[in-house]
Amino acid sequence: MGETTQKELLIIIPAYNEEKNIPAVLDALEQPGIREIADVLVMNDASSDNTNWIVKAHGHKLVTHVFNLGYGSALQLGYKYAIRRNYRYVIQMDADGQHDVCNIPRIYEELKKPDENGRCPDIVLASRFLEGSGQYPISGVRRFAYAFYRLLVRLGTGRTISDPTTGLQGLSRDAFLYYSKYNHFDDRYPDANMIMQMLLLGFQIREIPAVMHSRISGKSMHSGVKPIFYMFRMVFSITAVLVRVKVLRLDTR
């Protein structure tokens, strides 16, 4: 890559068997406008294909798991890496090409933008469903699921989040420091449950419009019948968050 100076922004990309998709993602992240502002860390979650070698060939930071730990664990280990390397901001994105890199500068800018009270956001969510977002085709089943998660978050926090399941997020150091600690982050499916948790704990969350695409190759972790089990698990997890934070007060900021 030819650049040795560490940036204040780290892009974390969990990857599992993404050899067909990740080359284009890395190529896009290496374009002017992105490479000047961010370092890239790929969390290779024990891929059995050539994901590992592709990332090495591009010269980006790489952590490879010996065993498959899951999406959430890959992210959390990335947060720990960011803490130890003293990054100030993190943007997490997927390796499958669904998250357009044009969103990166926008999220980064929003993370540093104070509100009327002079406070910058802890989390910036890139939403598929705000005015100004790019067109994103979704099935009727997924549309129902997204509406259901929005309802749960609104009932639990009083806040309407248009896209509580977005995987494209920017985090301040306070946010990813909290996530990096034991029992503060879902090791499998961090999603609307984590948004609920952070809102209840008083973290500041903003949404911005985003451009996203459909997966071109490979299987999503929500393919087949998995979304059905995923919904049950998410309802249970959101309920557990409510009990821990609002009833038992076990989680504090």
Side-chain angles (χ1 to χ4, degrees):
M1 299 292 293
E3 298 181 15
T4 58
T5 303
Q6 178 173 300
K7 317 298 192 303
E8 67 174 4
L9 169 64
L10 179 67
I11 298 172
I12 301 176
I13 307 176
Y16 177 65
N17 291 342
E18 293 288 0
E19 66 177 4
K20 293 182 179 180
N21 295 312
I22 201 168
V25 173
L26 297 178
D27 285 342
L29 290 172
E30 291 159 10
Q31 297 303 310
I34 306 293
R35 65 186 181 191
E36 291 88 355
I37 64 173
D39 293 329
V40 175
L41 169 66
V42 176
M43 303 298 297
N44 176 31
D45 197 19
S47 297
S48 58
D49 63 4
N50 290 317
T51 297
N52 187 68
W53 307 111
I54 291 170
V55 177
K56 284 186 175 182
H58 278 259
H60 292 295
K61 303 175 190 298
L62 173 69
V63 174
T64 296
H65 302 163
V66 178
F67 302 103
N68 184 267
L69 301 178
Y71 178 76
S73 290
L75 279 175
Q76 190 178 47
L77 286 171
Y79 303 146
K80 293 178 183 291
Y81 178 100
I83 291 296
R84 295 198 176 191
R85 295 301 177 97
N86 294 314
Y87 284 94
R88 191 172 179 184
Y89 303 102
V90 156
I91 293 178
Q92 61 189 54
M93 63 180 293
D94 292 347
D96 58 10
Q98 293 193 70
H99 298 157
D100 198 299
V101 300
C102 73
N103 298 295
I104 299 297
R106 300 173 189 171
I107 297 172
Y108 183 42
E109 180 181 348
E110 195 69 28
L111 281 168
K112 300 188 291 182
K113 185 185 297 183
D115 60 15
E116 61 274 10
N117 298 316
R119 183 171 180 182
C120 294
D122 298 299
I123 301 175
V124 173
L125 303 176
S127 172
R128 292 162 286 189
F129 308 120
L130 288 176
E131 183 178 351
S133 300
Q135 290 187 346
Y136 184 78
I138 56 174
S139 66
V141 173
R142 288 199 172 192
R143 191 178 299 277
F144 168 79
Y146 297 149
F148 180 62
Y149 296 139
R150 278 195 293 270
L151 176 62
L152 291 180
V153 172
R154 186 168 69 249
L155 290 176
T157 67
R159 174 82 179 272
T160 298
I161 299 294
S162 72
D163 195 356
T165 66
T166 178
L168 181 57
Q169 303 181 18
L171 308 173
S172 70
R173 187 173 176 87
D174 282 348
F176 65 81
L177 174 61
Y178 187 84
Y179 276 159
S180 72
K181 296 179 180 178
Y182 176 73
N183 213 29
H184 286 185
F185 196 69
D186 191 325
D187 65 343
R188 297 300 297 180
Y189 301 115
D191 218 324
N193 50 348
M194 295 294 95
I195 301 303
M196 171 89 79
Q197 169 186 274
M198 300 304 264
L199 285 172
L200 291 175
L201 291 172
F203 286 87
Q204 297 295 308
I205 297 181
R206 291 185 199 167
E207 286 191 284
I208 62 172
V211 176
M212 298 195 193
H213 311 287
S214 299
R215 169 185 278 271
I216 298 174
S217 179
K219 288 186 177 181
S220 167
M221 65 179 179
H222 299 310
S223 59
V225 298
K226 291 180 181 178
I228 299 174
F229 297 102
Y230 177 81
M231 286 191 68
F232 282 108
R233 189 186 193 282
M234 193 53 55
V235 170
F236 175 80
S237 182
I238 287 175
T239 303
V241 166
L242 284 168
V243 172
R244 287 180 62 87
V245 178
K246 298 190 74 171
V247 179
L248 301 179
R249 301 191 181 278
L250 296 176
D251 292 341
T252 57
R253 183 167 180 180

